[in-house]
């Protein structure tokens, strides 16, 4: 996973958190760059999230999203998880965890069409 588009930040904190994560990555000399892409996911249980994409080191991305959640006291989606078995479907799916600081407060499943360049939609969400 060298890049992902299924990461999100609680609405209202997107640009501030992405800017902070990029600055922290530069300070720590990590290969990481994040960008918001003007897209929001609305969930029933967790609220609205501003989605962002990133390129670089996966470990740095996961560490920075957790640190941003702690720093701004916000919920974040840590996405990029896939199933281990190969299932051929018309839609692609990806899984994510909803975090608040170090705690995992829920799980979410995203789907998107393989045939078109469509955006992620929430298929399933559950509180932990």
């Amino acid at each position: 996973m060298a890049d992902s588009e299924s990461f999100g930040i609680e609405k209202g904190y997107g640009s501030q958190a992405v800017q902070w994560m990029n600055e922290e990555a530069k300070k720590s000399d990590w290969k990481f760059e994040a960008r918001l892409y003007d897209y929001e996911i609305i969930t029933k249980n967790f609220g609205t999230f501003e989605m962002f994409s990133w390129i670089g080191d996966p470990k740095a991305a996961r560490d920075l999203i957790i640190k941003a959640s702690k720093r701004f006291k916000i919920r974040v989606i840590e996405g990029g998880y896939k199933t281990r078995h190969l299932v051929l479907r018309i839609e692609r799916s990806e899984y994510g965890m909803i975090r608040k600081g170090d705690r995992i407060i829920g799980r979410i499943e995203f789907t998107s069409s393989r045939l078109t360049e469509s955006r992620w939609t929430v298929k399933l969400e559950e509180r932990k």
Side-chain angles (χ1 to χ4, degrees), residues 22-52:
N22 287 334
E23 289 170 2
E24 285 295 307
K26 284 181 185 175
K27 285 181 193 174
S28 301
D29 201 29
W30 286 342
K31 294 179 182 177
F32 175 84
E33 183 183 348
R35 291 187 184 145
L36 286 173
Y37 59 100
D38 295 331
Y39 180 56
E40 293 181 354
I41 291 277
I42 300 170
T43 63
K44 293 176 187 170
N45 295 320
F46 307 107
T48 305
F49 293 88
E50 296 178 46
M51 303 303 283
F52 71 95

Side-chain angles (χ1 to χ4, degrees), residues 57-83:
D57 181 25
K59 182 171 179 4
R62 297 210 188 277
D63 287 348
L64 286 170
I65 193 79
I66 292 169
K67 286 180 182 179
S69 177
K70 288 180 194 176
R71 176 168 170 71
F72 297 107
K73 295 179 174 74
I74 56 173
R75 289 183 298 268
V76 294
I77 298 175
E78 179 187 339
Y81 294 98
K82 298 186 180 2
T83 59

